[in-house]
Amino acid sequence: MSWTDERVEMLKVMWSEGKSASQIAKELGGVTRNAVIGKVHRLGLSNRGPGSEHPDEDTAAAEAAAPMEQAAPPAEEEQEVPEPSRPAAPPAAAAPRPPVKEAAAPVPTQRPKPVMGQPLPPQPAQNEISPEALANLAEVAKKARKLSLMQLTERTCKWPVGDPATDDFWFCGLPSQPGKPYCETHVAVAFQPMSARRDRRAGGR
DNA sequence: CCCTGATTCGC
DNA sequence: GCGAATCAGG
């Protein structure tokens, strides 16, 4: 398995989102965590967020575009706490399943295309999305800024839409939740509590 | 023992 | 460039 542009792209996104090397390797498939780490270093992004990491909070922007309640759960995770919230279905994977569809359509038009002959890992069954969430997603899709990979910053929603292998691919781009990779709407969909996932954890870092 | 990323070094 | 083996640590 070689590092194709798509794979490197996914690696960058997932890494910047804070996913661990082993998890990225697992999702990319065909590589080990060592391979991922090695690649990360070779790409020179061993550091996870120096690029646009400035403690600069623009409340106006976030408030203007997402004037929703800003309940800040006490859950401040660092990969070492067995939190109940984790990406249920990593959209960054090959088949993001952009919920850009109406509730009427039982199935998104986006089909798992046979793009890139990589052994795409078994996509974890996506949990049900609440009707409210779907409604919001439909709205958000219209407001999406359709940013390209390089336009993403720490404060833009990195929810992918479309197929990374085609030009019909973009990221939501709306103001993301502080500390989260997605806007509030996408966070709600991506970070669903997953039931079956061992949480035995004690000391991680 | 589980896990994490970092580094080395033969390929 | 690649990644297994290894290292260093939680």
Side-chain angles (χ1 to χ4, degrees), chain A residues 8-182:
Chain A
V8 172
E9 199 170 307
M10 287 189 268
L11 166 61
K12 288 179 178 177
V13 174
M14 289 188 270
W15 183 261
S16 66
E17 285 181 355
K19 294 182 185 295
S20 69
S22 62
Q23 185 170 13
I24 293 173
K26 181 182 172 186
E27 293 182 24
L28 276 176
V31 290
T32 63
R33 79 182 192 89
N34 283 315
V36 170
I37 291 174
K39 185 61 179 175
V40 163
H41 280 235
R42 264 170 260 127
L43 287 172
L45 32 75
S46 55
N47 191 311
R48 285 196 206 241
S52 347
E53 183 69 275
H54 26 69
D56 191 286
E57 282 297 315
D58 191 313
T59 331
E63 193 176 325
M68 305 169 99
E69 62 174 66
Q70 179 143 51
E76 205 47 80
E77 53 282 308
E78 295 235 354
Q79 287 184 290
E80 56 184 341
V81 185
E83 345 103 39
S85 294
R86 276 245 132 195
R97 270 250 199 315
V100 193
K101 291 299 100 186
E102 294 185 52
V107 178
T109 50
Q110 298 292 341
R111 285 282 70 188
K113 358 43 188 164
V115 64
M116 43 184 185
Q118 278 78 41
L120 296 178
Q123 179 149 1
Q126 183 164 357
N127 295 328
E128 280 189 20
I129 301 176
S130 66
E132 290 86 0
L134 277 177
N136 285 334
L137 285 168
E139 287 184 31
V140 172
K142 298 172 185 174
K143 301 176 184 175
R145 293 169 62 196
K146 300 190 176 182
L147 299 181
S148 69
L149 180 67
M150 292 175 293
Q151 293 177 299
L152 296 176
T153 72
E154 257 56 38
R155 300 197 303 283
T156 59
C157 178
K158 302 177 185 58
W159 185 268
V161 179
D163 188 274
T166 70
D167 57 300
D168 182 33
F169 178 67
W170 36 273
F171 292 89
C172 172
L174 290 175
S176 62
Q177 290 288 290
K180 297 291 176 60
Y182 309 122

Side-chain angles (χ1 to χ4, degrees), chain A residues 173-191:
Chain A
L174 290 175
S176 62
Q177 290 288 290
K180 297 291 176 60
Y182 309 122
C183 62
E184 181 161 4
T185 299
H186 288 139
V187 163
V189 178
F191 291 82

